[in-house]
Amino acid sequence: MGDVRATAQVAARIADDLARHGERPALRSATGTLTYAALDRRVATARDQLAALGEAQLVRLRPAPTIEFVVAWLAALTGGHATLLTHDDGLARAYGASVEHAGGHWLTTGSSAPRLHPDLRLLLSTSGSTGSPKLVRLSADNLDANAAAIASYLGLTGDDVALTTLPLDYCYGLSVLHSHLLAGAAVVLDDRSVTDPALWERARTEGVTSFAGVPYTFDLLGTAGWPELPTLRQVTQAGARLAPDRVRALAGQGAREGWELVVMYGQTEATARMAYLPPELAATHPATVGVAVPGGAFRLEPVEGAGDGVGELVYSGPNVMMGYAETPADLALGSGPDELRTGDLARVTSEGLVEIVGRRSRFAKLFGQRIDLDRVQTLLGLGGYDAACAESVDGRQLVVAVPGRPDAAHLADVAAAAADGTGLPAHAIRVVGVADLPRLPNGKLDQQALARLESGPTPVVDSPEASIARLYARILGHPHVTADQSFVNLGGDSLSYVELSLRLESRLGRLPADWPDRTVAELAARLAPGSPRRNPVWARVDTTIALRALAIVLIVGSHTNLWVLLGGAHVLLAVAGVNFARFHLTDEAPRERVRRVARAAARVAVPSVLWIGAVALTRGEPGWRTVFLLNDLLGSRDWSEPAWYYWFIEVVLLLTVGAGLLTAVPRVMAFERSHRFPLALGLAVVALVPRYAAVLASYDGDVIHSTLFVAWLFLAGWAAAVARGPRDRTLVTAVLLAGCWGFTGDTARDLLIIAGVVVLVWVRTVPWPRLLVGPTGVLASASLYVYLTHWQVYPWFETRWPLGGLLASLAVGVLAWQVVNRAPAWVPSLRLRPSHYAPVQPTDEEVR
């Protein structure tokens, strides 16, 4: 191991430990025990194999509580490489990981390692971040200092045996491994839940002396029963604030049972831990996090309006990170400032103990997400809701205070808006009506008073709510729908929107324009006595539904030569833009947005490819580019019949997926959330450039069927959906008129497109004969299948009976839609339900 000692200090220490502790057990897994000597040999072999691939690699490892992972990690660390610990394939590709480890072997990825700083050893996701490429850069010295400090203040010895109760890509969990290896102790590797009795049976067999937990760990143990561990001497806690009464209770329990509770405080940016509360003080000072770890120090930075003795907690020590990485180029940077501004507001007690009292940056950690409270308040304000936000005292809920003693319906609206704006589940949001918002003497909001507000009784779900919930469940294919969920957060899309909106209208009367964002409870309230009743003759139908039904009839009728009224497909492009904004731009994490768009695209692409492929197999045409909807994407534009038949599907898919990926980029997503209309309108204006460039350049290709030249219609539809007020709608109309006039070269066709898009921009709902609501909804819902199948139906009637061709095409399309729609009921294994935003697993809630 002498070659390893030339690397940074932690590598040298680990190398010495592996050799020095000899036959002492190091790792215990389900497959057996590995001594330090055996671990030494395996690490050396793995390190040599990795060295053969070149120096200074960026190694990607998938963390797991296994011997294989630990060997690979130690080999990369002691070999002088940088390691990215992540399960996220996209993150590994984004940073250009050059080597991976799988099946006991090192594998090259085909990428050259980015330029790496020689001190860089570990890359971890920032604590609580979601959907962000930001990483914490840690050096060997950071890891060494942190492991040594922990081993010192915990008094770890070679007789200790730790149990892995936390993920190893979480800095807290990884520090357990490091500190125990540094002390020559043993680590039991196991991935079972703390609620699994088998985990604790094994812990008893192995003689476990310590385990680590986050607050939810202790909640689970309180429910499942505290384990009986005769050898237990120490329990450590970090990850989030543990309520003082819980700290006091656990400290008392430990005193009775013979083990110590060590409460700690840390952040990934400080490698793992910055403070610890000596166990003898846990019962008497449970609200504090204690003192700085050995080698570290705290100071308070004054913060205006924070109160006497309160300031931002600033930490310094050798375990402070090298800095953040947001791009691969950042991996070559050296160390940044040697201080860490924690963002926490704190005071120091007379005993010299640090007490955290709030957050300067106004971020809350809830269900694994970092929630910007100020942004939530801004979003609520934009929605017309006056409210103030805080994290609850127990750190488990978002508290939203609404002034003016609002009624229950208004509070439900605020709760729905807060859920949409944060992606949090309903039970994680506490909406409280107050006479006035609590304020400090200087006029600022009293954050601590907000955090202590208690909500009133939970309303009882009555039969109207249950009825509407069942309707949602049936149409969306969702097993459990509750009163606090909405169409949007249940994963609804444009296909399910048609049927559900019409059925709701038939029950409730005229629907509010924002009904997809309203909760089931809010909609059910419209059934209460005194609510407006439906008109027996006329209904109000969403304009997009009416346009979809009319457009598909015009398209098929024109193809059968029953009439010549072209332009319906281009109107539908604008409708697709409206639906994209409605259903795919919900305020969620980038990954969830991509999944939502992918699901919607699959619902169009899969039946299209299957149908066109079947046609190609039986008739020998169209070609494979058309079958796989690649004519436009590959630039091989053969618009002779029948290759051009499916241009509309290609264009809609490309635009939907492209817009979805664009808006899933974190910075674009952030801009879109705060500048929804300017972004959409700006993109539409930019998309007009190729449309006019083709005219100026006398382009003789097929302009009106190409994504590049028709994207402005889709984007203008997007802008129309997010327009607020006459000024915005006027601007969208101007863009559409500029694009439509003279676009197709056929004045009648241009005018039809103009009429359709102007109605789309200015009219949200249209009056419709109630008798026609059902057929209209069926046609709108089945429009994709009518479009797909009519090419093979109407030619049988085209010359002799055009009306028959229209009717037959509509009937076959509706039949195909019904078959696809009902297939999941006939074959349970085909049942695909739209995903909803359920909370992440409990451990991640506290760990991330």
Side-chain angles (χ1 to χ4, degrees), residues 356-377:
I356 308 297
V357 298
R359 289 286 296 171
R360 177 174 185 174
S361 57
R362 294 269 292 141
F363 278 88
K365 282 185 181 180
L366 297 168
F367 283 82
Q369 299 185 53
R370 184 170 290 203
I371 305 297
D372 184 340
L373 300 176
D374 290 327
R375 190 179 71 83
V376 176
Q377 286 184 192

PDB file of all heavy atoms in Angstrom, residues 356-377:
ATOM      1  N   ILE A 356     -30.343  26.632  16.451  1.00  0.00           N
ATOM      2  CA  ILE A 356     -30.862  27.060  15.142  1.00  0.00           C
ATOM      3  C   ILE A 356     -32.283  27.577  15.356  1.00  0.00           C
ATOM      4  O   ILE A 356     -33.136  26.872  15.915  1.00  0.00           O
ATOM      5  CB  ILE A 356     -30.866  25.906  14.126  1.00  0.00           C
ATOM      6  CG1 ILE A 356     -29.478  25.239  14.056  1.00  0.00           C
ATOM      7  CG2 ILE A 356     -31.298  26.407  12.761  1.00  0.00           C
ATOM      8  CD1 ILE A 356     -28.377  26.130  13.575  1.00  0.00           C
ATOM      9  N   VAL A 357     -32.553  28.800  14.876  1.00  0.00           N
ATOM     10  CA  VAL A 357     -33.883  29.384  15.089  1.00  0.00           C
ATOM     11  C   VAL A 357     -34.632  29.650  13.792  1.00  0.00           C
ATOM     12  O   VAL A 357     -35.807  30.047  13.825  1.00  0.00           O
ATOM     13  CB  VAL A 357     -33.780  30.696  15.890  1.00  0.00           C
ATOM     14  CG1 VAL A 357     -33.187  30.437  17.262  1.00  0.00           C
ATOM     15  CG2 VAL A 357     -32.967  31.745  15.140  1.00  0.00           C
ATOM     16  N   GLY A 358     -34.020  29.453  12.629  1.00  0.00           N
ATOM     17  CA  GLY A 358     -34.726  29.705  11.373  1.00  0.00           C
ATOM     18  C   GLY A 358     -33.774  29.655  10.196  1.00  0.00           C
ATOM     19  O   GLY A 358     -32.605  29.281  10.331  1.00  0.00           O
ATOM     20  N   ARG A 359     -34.307  30.045   9.038  1.00  0.00           N
ATOM     21  CA  ARG A 359     -33.522  30.049   7.810  1.00  0.00           C
ATOM     22  C   ARG A 359     -33.455  31.457   7.248  1.00  0.00           C
ATOM     23  O   ARG A 359     -34.478  32.122   7.084  1.00  0.00           O
ATOM     24  CB  ARG A 359     -34.162  29.134   6.762  1.00  0.00           C
ATOM     25  CG  ARG A 359     -34.061  27.667   7.037  1.00  0.00           C
ATOM     26  CD  ARG A 359     -32.669  27.136   6.787  1.00  0.00           C
ATOM     27  NE  ARG A 359     -32.280  27.237   5.395  1.00  0.00           N
ATOM     28  CZ  ARG A 359     -31.043  26.996   4.949  1.00  0.00           C
ATOM     29  NH1 ARG A 359     -30.082  26.679   5.806  1.00  0.00           N
ATOM     30  NH2 ARG A 359     -30.757  27.094   3.678  1.00  0.00           N
ATOM     31  N   ARG A 360     -32.253  31.912   6.954  1.00  0.00           N
ATOM     32  CA  ARG A 360     -32.117  33.224   6.332  1.00  0.00           C
ATOM     33  C   ARG A 360     -32.609  33.188   4.895  1.00  0.00           C
ATOM     34  O   ARG A 360     -33.262  34.111   4.424  1.00  0.00           O
ATOM     35  CB  ARG A 360     -30.652  33.667   6.367  1.00  0.00           C
ATOM     36  CG  ARG A 360     -30.445  35.005   5.662  1.00  0.00           C
ATOM     37  CD  ARG A 360     -29.050  35.527   5.817  1.00  0.00           C
ATOM     38  NE  ARG A 360     -28.945  36.864   5.225  1.00  0.00           N
ATOM     39  CZ  ARG A 360     -27.877  37.628   5.301  1.00  0.00           C
ATOM     40  NH1 ARG A 360     -26.805  37.205   5.934  1.00  0.00           N
ATOM     41  NH2 ARG A 360     -27.872  38.826   4.741  1.00  0.00           N
ATOM     42  N   SER A 361     -32.301  32.155   4.195  1.00  0.00           N
ATOM     43  CA  SER A 361     -32.640  32.079   2.776  1.00  0.00           C
ATOM     44  C   SER A 361     -34.085  31.690   2.531  1.00  0.00           C
ATOM     45  O   SER A 361     -34.519  31.587   1.392  1.00  0.00           O
ATOM     46  CB  SER A 361     -31.724  31.067   2.079  1.00  0.00           C
ATOM     47  OG  SER A 361     -31.819  29.800   2.699  1.00  0.00           O
ATOM     48  N   ARG A 362     -34.835  31.479   3.622  1.00  0.00           N
ATOM     49  CA  ARG A 362     -36.257  31.164   3.494  1.00  0.00           C
ATOM     50  C   ARG A 362     -36.482  29.921   2.646  1.00  0.00           C
ATOM     51  O   ARG A 362     -37.332  29.892   1.765  1.00  0.00           O
ATOM     52  CB  ARG A 362     -37.004  32.356   2.920  1.00  0.00           C
ATOM     53  CG  ARG A 362     -37.020  33.553   3.841  1.00  0.00           C
ATOM     54  CD  ARG A 362     -38.231  33.530   4.751  1.00  0.00           C
ATOM     55  NE  ARG A 362     -39.455  33.729   3.996  1.00  0.00           N
ATOM     56  CZ  ARG A 362     -40.590  33.091   4.242  1.00  0.00           C
ATOM     57  NH1 ARG A 362     -40.638  32.218   5.212  1.00  0.00           N
ATOM     58  NH2 ARG A 362     -41.664  33.337   3.528  1.00  0.00           N
ATOM     59  N   PHE A 363     -35.709  28.884   2.901  1.00  0.00           N
ATOM     60  CA  PHE A 363     -35.928  27.601   2.271  1.00  0.00           C
ATOM     61  C   PHE A 363     -36.401  26.618   3.338  1.00  0.00           C
ATOM     62  O   PHE A 363     -35.931  26.644   4.473  1.00  0.00           O
ATOM     63  CB  PHE A 363     -34.651  27.052   1.619  1.00  0.00           C
ATOM     64  CG  PHE A 363     -34.371  27.611   0.263  1.00  0.00           C
ATOM     65  CD1 PHE A 363     -33.644  28.770   0.120  1.00  0.00           C
ATOM     66  CD2 PHE A 363     -34.844  26.981  -0.869  1.00  0.00           C
ATOM     67  CE1 PHE A 363     -33.378  29.297  -1.134  1.00  0.00           C
ATOM     68  CE2 PHE A 363     -34.593  27.495  -2.122  1.00  0.00           C
ATOM     69  CZ  PHE A 363     -33.861  28.653  -2.259  1.00  0.00           C
ATOM     70  N   ALA A 364     -37.313  25.755   2.937  1.00  0.00           N
ATOM     71  CA  ALA A 364     -37.775  24.698   3.832  1.00  0.00           C
ATOM     72  C   ALA A 364     -37.434  23.358   3.209  1.00  0.00           C
ATOM     73  O   ALA A 364     -37.430  23.221   1.978  1.00  0.00           O
ATOM     74  CB  ALA A 364     -39.278  24.798   4.054  1.00  0.00           C
ATOM     75  N   LYS A 365     -37.123  22.372   4.032  1.00  0.00           N
ATOM     76  CA  LYS A 365     -36.885  21.019   3.551  1.00  0.00           C
ATOM     77  C   LYS A 365     -38.110  20.178   3.873  1.00  0.00           C
ATOM     78  O   LYS A 365     -38.379  19.874   5.030  1.00  0.00           O
ATOM     79  CB  LYS A 365     -35.659  20.416   4.221  1.00  0.00           C
ATOM     80  CG  LYS A 365     -34.338  20.884   3.661  1.00  0.00           C
ATOM     81  CD  LYS A 365     -33.213  20.114   4.329  1.00  0.00           C
ATOM     82  CE  LYS A 365     -31.865  20.561   3.829  1.00  0.00           C
ATOM     83  NZ  LYS A 365     -30.774  19.806   4.494  1.00  0.00           N
ATOM     84  N   LEU A 366     -38.854  19.818   2.845  1.00  0.00           N
ATOM     85  CA  LEU A 366     -40.074  19.044   3.035  1.00  0.00           C
ATOM     86  C   LEU A 366     -40.139  17.939   2.007  1.00  0.00           C
ATOM     87  O   LEU A 366     -40.012  18.192   0.802  1.00  0.00           O
ATOM     88  CB  LEU A 366     -41.313  19.949   2.899  1.00  0.00           C
ATOM     89  CG  LEU A 366     -41.452  21.081   3.924  1.00  0.00           C
ATOM     90  CD1 LEU A 366     -42.534  22.052   3.476  1.00  0.00           C
ATOM     91  CD2 LEU A 366     -41.790  20.513   5.289  1.00  0.00           C
ATOM     92  N   PHE A 367     -40.346  16.714   2.458  1.00  0.00           N
ATOM     93  CA  PHE A 367     -40.475  15.558   1.572  1.00  0.00           C
ATOM     94  C   PHE A 367     -39.350  15.493   0.543  1.00  0.00           C
ATOM     95  O   PHE A 367     -39.560  15.276  -0.639  1.00  0.00           O
ATOM     96  CB  PHE A 367     -41.837  15.572   0.870  1.00  0.00           C
ATOM     97  CG  PHE A 367     -42.946  15.117   1.764  1.00  0.00           C
ATOM     98  CD1 PHE A 367     -43.526  16.005   2.652  1.00  0.00           C
ATOM     99  CD2 PHE A 367     -43.378  13.804   1.744  1.00  0.00           C
ATOM    100  CE1 PHE A 367     -44.530  15.582   3.509  1.00  0.00           C
ATOM    101  CE2 PHE A 367     -44.375  13.374   2.589  1.00  0.00           C
ATOM    102  CZ  PHE A 367     -44.950  14.269   3.474  1.00  0.00           C
ATOM    103  N   GLY A 368     -38.116  15.713   1.032  1.00  0.00           N
ATOM    104  CA  GLY A 368     -36.972  15.593   0.161  1.00  0.00           C
ATOM    105  C   GLY A 368     -36.768  16.750  -0.787  1.00  0.00           C
ATOM    106  O   GLY A 368     -35.869  16.711  -1.621  1.00  0.00           O
ATOM    107  N   GLN A 369     -37.588  17.795  -0.700  1.00  0.00           N
ATOM    108  CA  GLN A 369     -37.464  18.930  -1.600  1.00  0.00           C
ATOM    109  C   GLN A 369     -37.044  20.167  -0.828  1.00  0.00           C
ATOM    110  O   GLN A 369     -37.402  20.356   0.325  1.00  0.00           O
ATOM    111  CB  GLN A 369     -38.794  19.228  -2.299  1.00  0.00           C
ATOM    112  CG  GLN A 369     -39.310  18.090  -3.153  1.00  0.00           C
ATOM    113  CD  GLN A 369     -40.551  18.511  -3.900  1.00  0.00           C
ATOM    114  OE1 GLN A 369     -40.574  19.512  -4.596  1.00  0.00           O
ATOM    115  NE2 GLN A 369     -41.610  17.741  -3.754  1.00  0.00           N
ATOM    116  N   ARG A 370     -36.288  21.020  -1.488  1.00  0.00           N
ATOM    117  CA  ARG A 370     -35.943  22.314  -0.920  1.00  0.00           C
ATOM    118  C   ARG A 370     -36.943  23.319  -1.467  1.00  0.00           C
ATOM    119  O   ARG A 370     -36.963  23.611  -2.668  1.00  0.00           O
ATOM    120  CB  ARG A 370     -34.520  22.686  -1.290  1.00  0.00           C
ATOM    121  CG  ARG A 370     -34.047  23.972  -0.654  1.00  0.00           C
ATOM    122  CD  ARG A 370     -32.568  24.170  -0.840  1.00  0.00           C
ATOM    123  NE  ARG A 370     -31.799  23.222  -0.046  1.00  0.00           N
ATOM    124  CZ  ARG A 370     -30.546  23.423   0.326  1.00  0.00           C
ATOM    125  NH1 ARG A 370     -29.924  24.523   0.002  1.00  0.00           N
ATOM    126  NH2 ARG A 370     -29.906  22.513   1.022  1.00  0.00           N
ATOM    127  N   ILE A 371     -37.804  23.830  -0.614  1.00  0.00           N
ATOM    128  CA  ILE A 371     -38.898  24.710  -1.010  1.00  0.00           C
ATOM    129  C   ILE A 371     -38.519  26.156  -0.715  1.00  0.00           C
ATOM    130  O   ILE A 371     -38.229  26.508   0.431  1.00  0.00           O
ATOM    131  CB  ILE A 371     -40.195  24.346  -0.258  1.00  0.00           C
ATOM    132  CG1 ILE A 371     -40.549  22.859  -0.467  1.00  0.00           C
ATOM    133  CG2 ILE A 371     -41.336  25.241  -0.708  1.00  0.00           C
ATOM    134  CD1 ILE A 371     -40.838  22.495  -1.874  1.00  0.00           C
ATOM    135  N   ASP A 372     -38.535  26.983  -1.751  1.00  0.00           N
ATOM    136  CA  ASP A 372     -38.274  28.410  -1.591  1.00  0.00           C
ATOM    137  C   ASP A 372     -39.578  29.075  -1.146  1.00  0.00           C
ATOM    138  O   ASP A 372     -40.496  29.251  -1.946  1.00  0.00           O
ATOM    139  CB  ASP A 372     -37.781  28.983  -2.932  1.00  0.00           C
ATOM    140  CG  ASP A 372     -37.392  30.448  -2.823  1.00  0.00           C
ATOM    141  OD1 ASP A 372     -37.830  31.124  -1.873  1.00  0.00           O
ATOM    142  OD2 ASP A 372     -36.667  30.930  -3.710  1.00  0.00           O
ATOM    143  N   LEU A 373     -39.643  29.456   0.116  1.00  0.00           N
ATOM    144  CA  LEU A 373     -40.879  29.998   0.666  1.00  0.00           C
ATOM    145  C   LEU A 373     -41.254  31.330   0.026  1.00  0.00           C
ATOM    146  O   LEU A 373     -42.439  31.615  -0.177  1.00  0.00           O
ATOM    147  CB  LEU A 373     -40.744  30.159   2.184  1.00  0.00           C
ATOM    148  CG  LEU A 373     -40.472  28.870   2.959  1.00  0.00           C
ATOM    149  CD1 LEU A 373     -40.257  29.173   4.431  1.00  0.00           C
ATOM    150  CD2 LEU A 373     -41.606  27.873   2.785  1.00  0.00           C
ATOM    151  N   ASP A 374     -40.266  32.137  -0.282  1.00  0.00           N
ATOM    152  CA  ASP A 374     -40.569  33.419  -0.923  1.00  0.00           C
ATOM    153  C   ASP A 374     -41.158  33.209  -2.312  1.00  0.00           C
ATOM    154  O   ASP A 374     -42.050  33.943  -2.739  1.00  0.00           O
ATOM    155  CB  ASP A 374     -39.304  34.279  -1.009  1.00  0.00           C
ATOM    156  CG  ASP A 374     -38.854  34.776   0.356  1.00  0.00           C
ATOM    157  OD1 ASP A 374     -39.737  35.012   1.204  1.00  0.00           O
ATOM    158  OD2 ASP A 374     -37.638  34.899   0.580  1.00  0.00           O
ATOM    159  N   ARG A 375     -40.658  32.216  -3.026  1.00  0.00           N
ATOM    160  CA  ARG A 375     -41.197  31.951  -4.368  1.00  0.00           C
ATOM    161  C   ARG A 375     -42.630  31.439  -4.279  1.00  0.00           C
ATOM    162  O   ARG A 375     -43.478  31.780  -5.098  1.00  0.00           O
ATOM    163  CB  ARG A 375     -40.337  30.917  -5.103  1.00  0.00           C
ATOM    164  CG  ARG A 375     -40.714  30.780  -6.579  1.00  0.00           C
ATOM    165  CD  ARG A 375     -39.829  29.765  -7.263  1.00  0.00           C
ATOM    166  NE  ARG A 375     -40.123  28.422  -6.844  1.00  0.00           N
ATOM    167  CZ  ARG A 375     -41.105  27.673  -7.341  1.00  0.00           C
ATOM    168  NH1 ARG A 375     -41.879  28.152  -8.287  1.00  0.00           N
ATOM    169  NH2 ARG A 375     -41.319  26.454  -6.917  1.00  0.00           N
ATOM    170  N   VAL A 376     -42.918  30.623  -3.258  1.00  0.00           N
ATOM    171  CA  VAL A 376     -44.287  30.139  -3.078  1.00  0.00           C
ATOM    172  C   VAL A 376     -45.228  31.315  -2.832  1.00  0.00           C
ATOM    173  O   VAL A 376     -46.321  31.398  -3.399  1.00  0.00           O
ATOM    174  CB  VAL A 376     -44.361  29.129  -1.916  1.00  0.00           C
ATOM    175  CG1 VAL A 376     -45.813  28.717  -1.669  1.00  0.00           C
ATOM    176  CG2 VAL A 376     -43.516  27.897  -2.223  1.00  0.00           C
ATOM    177  N   GLN A 377     -44.795  32.257  -1.967  1.00  0.00           N
ATOM    178  CA  GLN A 377     -45.621  33.429  -1.714  1.00  0.00           C
ATOM    179  C   GLN A 377     -45.845  34.245  -2.983  1.00  0.00           C
ATOM    180  O   GLN A 377     -46.949  34.746  -3.234  1.00  0.00           O
ATOM    181  CB  GLN A 377     -44.967  34.314  -0.646  1.00  0.00           C
ATOM    182  CG  GLN A 377     -45.078  33.753   0.746  1.00  0.00           C
ATOM    183  CD  GLN A 377     -44.506  34.673   1.807  1.00  0.00           C
ATOM    184  OE1 GLN A 377     -44.328  34.270   2.938  1.00  0.00           O
ATOM    185  NE2 GLN A 377     -44.213  35.910   1.473  1.00  0.00           N
TER     186      GLN A 377
END
